[in-house]
Amino acid sequence: MRAKDAGRRIGAAVVASALVAAATLATPPADPVPPVFALPELSSDVAGEAQSIWYCPWAEAGAERDTVISMASLGAADAVMTIPNPSPADEADTAELQLGTLSAFDVELGEVVRRGQAPMFVEFAGGPAMVSTLMRSNTLLSGDRCVASAPKVWYLTGGTTRSGIQLTLRLFNPFPENARVLVSGSSEFGNEPIPGGSLDVPARSWRDIPLSQEVPFLDELSVTVSSETGLVLPTMVMANGTDEATWPGTPLSETWYFPVGGVEGVESELVITNPGDAPLTLDVEVFTSEGPVPGTSMTLEPGGPRRIALSEIASGAFGISVTSSGRTAAVVIASEVVVEEELGGGEGEAPPEESGPLGGKLAGTVGRNSPATRWLVAGTGNVSITSTVWLMNTGLQPATVTMQPLSGRGEEAEEIIVGDGELIRYPSQDGLGYFIEASQPISVAWTASSALGLAFIAGVAVE
Amino acid sequence: MTSASVVGQMTPSVAVAVLVGDTAALLDTLEAVSRQVYEPTRRFIVGGAAAARTAAEAAGVEWSPSAATLIEQLETRIDFVWFVRSGVVPRPDALKSLVLETERSGAAVAGSKLLRSDDPDELLSVGWATDVYGTTYIGLDDGEVDQGQYDVVRDVAAVPGTSLLIRRDLAHGIGGIDAKLAPAPAAIDLCQRARLRGARVVVVPSSEVLVPDDERITPLWRDEAGRIRAMLKSYSFLTLMWALPARMLIGLIEAVVAPLVGRWTLFAFVRAWLWNLLHLPSTFIARRASRVGTVVGDAELFRYQLRGSASLKSLSSELAGRFRERLPGDTTTSLLELTEELRRPAFLSGVLVILATIFGTRVIWRSGLPASGYLLPLPESATAALGSYAGGWNPAGFGGGPLPPLVGSSALVQLLLGDRAALAVAVLTIGAVLFGVWGAIRLFRSWDLRLGPAVAGGLVFVAGPASAALSRGTHWGAFVALGLVPWAIRGATTRWPDQWQRRLSHVSGLALIIGVLATFEPLLLPMALGGAILWIMFGDAGSWRTVVAAAISTLAGSLLILPWVVGANFAQYIDGSVFWEPNWALVGAGVAAGLVTLAFAEARPSRVAGWGLVMVGIGGLLARSADTGRPILATGLVIAALGSAAIVAAAFDAVAAGSGARRFVVGFGALGAAFLVMSTVWPMFPGRAGFPAVADSRLLELGSLGDAPVRALLFGPPDRLPGDERDIDGATYRVISVPEPGMWELWLSPPKAADLALEDVLKRLTGGETLRLGEELAGFGIGWVIVVGDSPFAPLLEGQLDLIRLGRADPTYRSEVETVARALGSDGATWTWEGAGYRGEPTDTVRLAENPDDRFGPEPWTTDGWANVVSGETGMTTYTADGSIRNAARIALVSGVLMMGLWLFGRVRS
């Protein structure tokens, strides 16, 4: 009996220990790794197949200024223009449009609403489609493409707050959620705190930061806009008292392509910022109608922006590509060469400073991070300006390029050859915009010029 | 005679009416009446059949068919009528005392002191107190001896009709005795009507009447029906407005609780109210007669009534007595022995258990349980939830599929508690704690462990590491099942009864317990059988017949979850990926305690410890099986909880049983067990039985999102989302109703058309193709998007043009779309969710944003994409229940009632 009891105890202990041990040794299932969903970082200048929204922060329609909103679409698409009202009690103004296949359309903003500053966005039900703006007055001409996405961090380089320049940063929040953003700057002196740099941008509204007043007398100013909550679309606006230049924010990239690098009669500068911690090597290649010409190479130190006078590298009309060993933000600024008399400088007066725009025409544009085979440009059909489409082939093969006017009148497409390393300027005839298809990846932009002003406008690649 | 002549000079003339109940006992009463020293003017036999009439003729007394007729036919010279029930024997001076004291006190109604005829020293009644509902309170202890302690004439609420003297004119004025009522409520009714006319009702203890012990018992329902009718006749409308609903609620509570003390009052309750419904016209006529000429209000009646419910007080006292009886080892005593009883371990243990339960659940009473994890408030309508469980529409997500039996069982409890959802949750949760401890104590006591160790085991069972993991993980169903598990194991391991009635009762009772616990967690169905087999394998004296009985009971018990069995997708039910991470220090302490006790303790605690160790091992294996779902985890935790409780009880018992070196060694085991007991403080201390804090339940805030009955799309990790979730590439989300999500929404069925359509929308969102998410979600009836915790979806919401973020802790977005509706009429009007369907203004058609199902109506039923479109002409939608599930539900209900009936039958017969 005693032996039986002992056996029972031992048996039970063995079974129980085995079960407990098995339970103890069991390993937990691996924690599932959730995916990361994020808005595409570099899609702010791509026209996709699906529905899209293009945000245009710098638009105005008042007594002196008006803005042409230019749209182009490859497919039939319904479009809705929405101009938020800064007064929360008032509804946004809207206009509905229908774009046919391979069509472009210009809308004078003043025909929809005329209340001065009017950042807006255009919503396309289909695509690919894109929007660009061109602001005009009796004294100025400025504009650039709009942006199609809203990342959390934007880089805007190329600014200056030297005397005679009005530099403004516009933060446009078209979304229904209030945004809280951090605006930080860097200058030739290193990091440049922006007073009131952490600020709220009300939903469906905008805020302008007068950088010239906040951080005056800086030759170089680069700005980073980071959203803590919500999202904003920033744009930089630089005015010299005569003309105005505007360019949107961009993400960072190791390569930048600027088909419009320089134009006759203006002095161009590449302003590039290395936001990283280490120096970068930088190669600037120049492309002209005669083919590539020698560019320049240099080391780009981290910190403040670096201004490179492109006019010292090339002359006439040219485009550039920028390749660096790390990610940078870049913009091309062009200003008219103004002789002393034109500035009113007479004898005994101090001559204007050698560098920097003062008076005259002013333009600025962002580049694109890679060439593409399909492009859309819009707004080239405005009769009061001279529009020229710039086609830059940075590849090693000639590209056959089809220029399809988007006039809606069924014009035949024109085929042209852009040789390897060649820049071709294609004067716009009667197309309100162009769909450009190339056999090799190329880069596309266009310029608008008149007696009063000059604007560089980046093309939009088609997905 | 001298005294009679003296009284006679006072000239109150009395007519005696012997009310015939038992004709055989009539002669004794007539003889006793004839011996009265106070000579009545006239004597009558009232009622009875021809035999009574013959007896009247033989005895030389008059006969009257009814009390009412008698009152009518008595001449005005008669001052009093003395009603005496046949079978009783008034002492010779009974009438004299009644008349003298009534005259002296100025009363109009008087009753005698009632004594047992076979033991005239024992008191049966000295007048009644009643509560407002007419339930009598005698105010005497069982077997209380008459020592003259009540011998004073005093006002009482009522006197029994056994011996009742009333002024003739008053009796005539108030319409006499209500012949429709049973004796007791008839007497109360008569006294109340008399009092409303300003009359005093007194008891005259010097008038003694002997009452036989074999007094005929009136059926329960007749007493209840009479009390209700008496209320209806006497009280003002104002009083009736609160008294009647309160009486009904009390009756319901009695129906639920009384079976615990072996009484079944539900049918009597229902029959009593139905009887009154049928007799409502005559009641109104009688009420008019009784209320005319009243000189005092209800307040005069209340003066002589008890506060509260006498029946509930009696029931709770009876329950307490039963509870005390169930604490083994000691016998109950009267209040006189209170001091002695307070020193007894059984009483102290009972008090400790109750105090621990109150302490550990105190917050639940006040604030309820949180709404988080797998715990949401019960649906507002219990009938709707029952209908949905029984084959109706499952509203979880976009609907469809069977609901777990927890929905049905909790809805049933809610229904029995007057459709009060929060009360049902509180009662079930707290009941689980109380019954869990109690059941564990009873189980371990039945395994011959001592009371103290059993109590310690009981505490560990409901608040030890495993059960704390249950509540912390919001396994509410399994937690409620804890309250029944030890009872099921005890039933399955208890000795096989000798009598066939007891066997029948045993099997059906065990089946009922197993079935009910399975409704709260189906996977626990075989636990009792498994526990019994294990117990026998450990060589206990149990027989395999009890195992066979447990197997039969398990099979029968499974009938209660038949609706779920018919429709459930078992593979999906156990699917999941959860894992128990216990406190390893406590596991080590418990296992050490178990092994030491198993190896070195006396035979009995050693067996219990071995049983507990194996249970802990099995439970641990289940709870730590990777890639299994919550039901398996919960089942494992319940098994481990009982196993650890057994180890603790055995370890302490081993110390008490051992001696010398053995006692020293097993003391180490008890040390480990002490750690487990101490660990129970942590889940009990916050007062929520281990459940998360209400403040943590962000889902409750859904109620503040407005009244619009829409849906909310929740993004977040699985442990932050309520109930089941769906996912896109591992990023989890789910849809839930606002403003008041219900527990029936926790369990999602496999995705159907609407679910897939939503998945498409979300995939477009993740691809950056959706810019107006609010507009796309509006068709699903989704008006809110909420991010709870970290979610990959969160950054995608910031660029949406029609979602407005609100200033809340969790990112909460409101859709700007004007019309968001789960059901939308063709006229553009929104229909609202009510119960388990939609209701709105009649219109041509209604679009229902639910998974398509052709059982939706009214016809014609069509689809609009994935949504249902039905006729809106009736102003409400219908859903035809799944016939097979509905029939299964009927079978389950009938089976449950049958099991309960057989259980009670067996107990009563044996």
Side-chain angles (χ1 to χ4, degrees), chain A residues 97-108:
Chain A
L97 308 162
Q98 284 186 324
L99 275 76
T101 306
L102 285 173
S103 63
F105 203 88
D106 283 354
V107 178
E108 295 277 349

mmCIF file of all heavy atoms in Angstrom, chain A residues 97-108:
data_model
loop_
_atom_site.group_PDB
_atom_site.id
_atom_site.type_symbol
_atom_site.label_atom_id
_atom_site.label_comp_id
_atom_site.label_asym_id
_atom_site.label_seq_id
_atom_site.Cartn_x
_atom_site.Cartn_y
_atom_site.Cartn_z
ATOM 1 N N LEU A 97 -15.054 72.356 -63.011
ATOM 2 C CA LEU A 97 -14.625 72.357 -64.405
ATOM 3 C C LEU A 97 -14.632 70.935 -64.918
ATOM 4 O O LEU A 97 -14.575 69.980 -64.134
ATOM 5 C CB LEU A 97 -13.208 72.912 -64.526
ATOM 6 C CG LEU A 97 -12.933 74.261 -63.879
ATOM 7 C CD1 LEU A 97 -11.445 74.447 -63.697
ATOM 8 C CD2 LEU A 97 -13.507 75.363 -64.759
ATOM 9 N N GLN A 98 -14.683 70.810 -66.202
ATOM 10 C CA GLN A 98 -14.564 69.494 -66.808
ATOM 11 C C GLN A 98 -13.459 69.549 -67.847
ATOM 12 O O GLN A 98 -13.507 70.377 -68.767
ATOM 13 C CB GLN A 98 -15.879 69.079 -67.464
ATOM 14 C CG GLN A 98 -16.921 68.650 -66.438
ATOM 15 C CD GLN A 98 -18.163 68.112 -67.089
ATOM 16 O OE1 GLN A 98 -18.568 68.600 -68.149
ATOM 17 N NE2 GLN A 98 -18.780 67.114 -66.479
ATOM 18 N N LEU A 99 -12.501 68.708 -67.708
ATOM 19 C CA LEU A 99 -11.411 68.642 -68.682
ATOM 20 C C LEU A 99 -11.584 67.382 -69.510
ATOM 21 O O LEU A 99 -11.836 66.296 -68.956
ATOM 22 C CB LEU A 99 -10.054 68.609 -67.963
ATOM 23 C CG LEU A 99 -9.474 69.976 -67.574
ATOM 24 C CD1 LEU A 99 -10.192 70.530 -66.354
ATOM 25 C CD2 LEU A 99 -7.983 69.863 -67.303
ATOM 26 N N GLY A 100 -11.460 67.556 -70.811
ATOM 27 C CA GLY A 100 -11.572 66.399 -71.692
ATOM 28 C C GLY A 100 -10.225 65.689 -71.794
ATOM 29 O O GLY A 100 -9.237 66.071 -71.171
ATOM 30 N N THR A 101 -10.200 64.663 -72.640
ATOM 31 C CA THR A 101 -8.952 63.938 -72.865
ATOM 32 C C THR A 101 -7.959 64.854 -73.564
ATOM 33 O O THR A 101 -8.329 65.609 -74.469
ATOM 34 C CB THR A 101 -9.233 62.705 -73.740
ATOM 35 O OG1 THR A 101 -10.260 61.947 -73.118
ATOM 36 C CG2 THR A 101 -7.995 61.863 -73.913
ATOM 37 N N LEU A 102 -6.726 64.822 -73.118
ATOM 38 C CA LEU A 102 -5.646 65.636 -73.687
ATOM 39 C C LEU A 102 -6.069 67.093 -73.801
ATOM 40 O O LEU A 102 -6.146 67.663 -74.896
ATOM 41 C CB LEU A 102 -5.251 65.095 -75.063
ATOM 42 C CG LEU A 102 -4.414 63.808 -75.046
ATOM 43 C CD1 LEU A 102 -4.225 63.281 -76.459
ATOM 44 C CD2 LEU A 102 -3.070 64.044 -74.391
ATOM 45 N N SER A 103 -6.397 67.653 -72.682
ATOM 46 C CA SER A 103 -6.872 69.039 -72.713
ATOM 47 C C SER A 103 -6.175 69.860 -71.637
ATOM 48 O O SER A 103 -5.613 69.317 -70.693
ATOM 49 C CB SER A 103 -8.388 69.082 -72.498
ATOM 50 O OG SER A 103 -8.697 68.586 -71.219
ATOM 51 N N ALA A 104 -6.235 71.157 -71.834
ATOM 52 C CA ALA A 104 -5.702 72.083 -70.839
ATOM 53 C C ALA A 104 -6.700 73.214 -70.695
ATOM 54 O O ALA A 104 -7.552 73.440 -71.568
ATOM 55 C CB ALA A 104 -4.340 72.610 -71.255
ATOM 56 N N PHE A 105 -6.614 73.908 -69.594
ATOM 57 C CA PHE A 105 -7.621 74.921 -69.310
ATOM 58 C C PHE A 105 -6.994 75.988 -68.425
ATOM 59 O O PHE A 105 -6.265 75.685 -67.489
ATOM 60 C CB PHE A 105 -8.794 74.262 -68.570
ATOM 61 C CG PHE A 105 -10.076 75.007 -68.699
ATOM 62 C CD1 PHE A 105 -10.932 74.758 -69.764
ATOM 63 C CD2 PHE A 105 -10.441 75.957 -67.753
ATOM 64 C CE1 PHE A 105 -12.132 75.448 -69.880
ATOM 65 C CE2 PHE A 105 -11.629 76.643 -67.870
ATOM 66 C CZ PHE A 105 -12.488 76.392 -68.940
ATOM 67 N N ASP A 106 -7.255 77.235 -68.750
ATOM 68 C CA ASP A 106 -6.779 78.340 -67.913
ATOM 69 C C ASP A 106 -7.975 79.011 -67.255
ATOM 70 O O ASP A 106 -8.995 79.247 -67.897
ATOM 71 C CB ASP A 106 -6.048 79.389 -68.768
ATOM 72 C CG ASP A 106 -4.640 78.916 -69.141
ATOM 73 O OD1 ASP A 106 -4.239 77.848 -68.631
ATOM 74 O OD2 ASP A 106 -3.985 79.602 -69.933
ATOM 75 N N VAL A 107 -7.842 79.301 -65.980
ATOM 76 C CA VAL A 107 -8.898 80.007 -65.256
ATOM 77 C C VAL A 107 -8.274 81.228 -64.598
ATOM 78 O O VAL A 107 -7.258 81.121 -63.918
ATOM 79 C CB VAL A 107 -9.519 79.109 -64.158
ATOM 80 C CG1 VAL A 107 -10.569 79.884 -63.384
ATOM 81 C CG2 VAL A 107 -10.123 77.861 -64.754
ATOM 82 N N GLU A 108 -8.885 82.366 -64.888
ATOM 83 C CA GLU A 108 -8.465 83.569 -64.174
ATOM 84 C C GLU A 108 -9.068 83.493 -62.780
ATOM 85 O O GLU A 108 -10.289 83.410 -62.616
ATOM 86 C CB GLU A 108 -8.998 84.818 -64.889
ATOM 87 C CG GLU A 108 -8.427 85.034 -66.273
ATOM 88 C CD GLU A 108 -7.073 85.736 -66.234
ATOM 89 O OE1 GLU A 108 -6.709 86.234 -65.144
ATOM 90 O OE2 GLU A 108 -6.384 85.754 -67.262
#
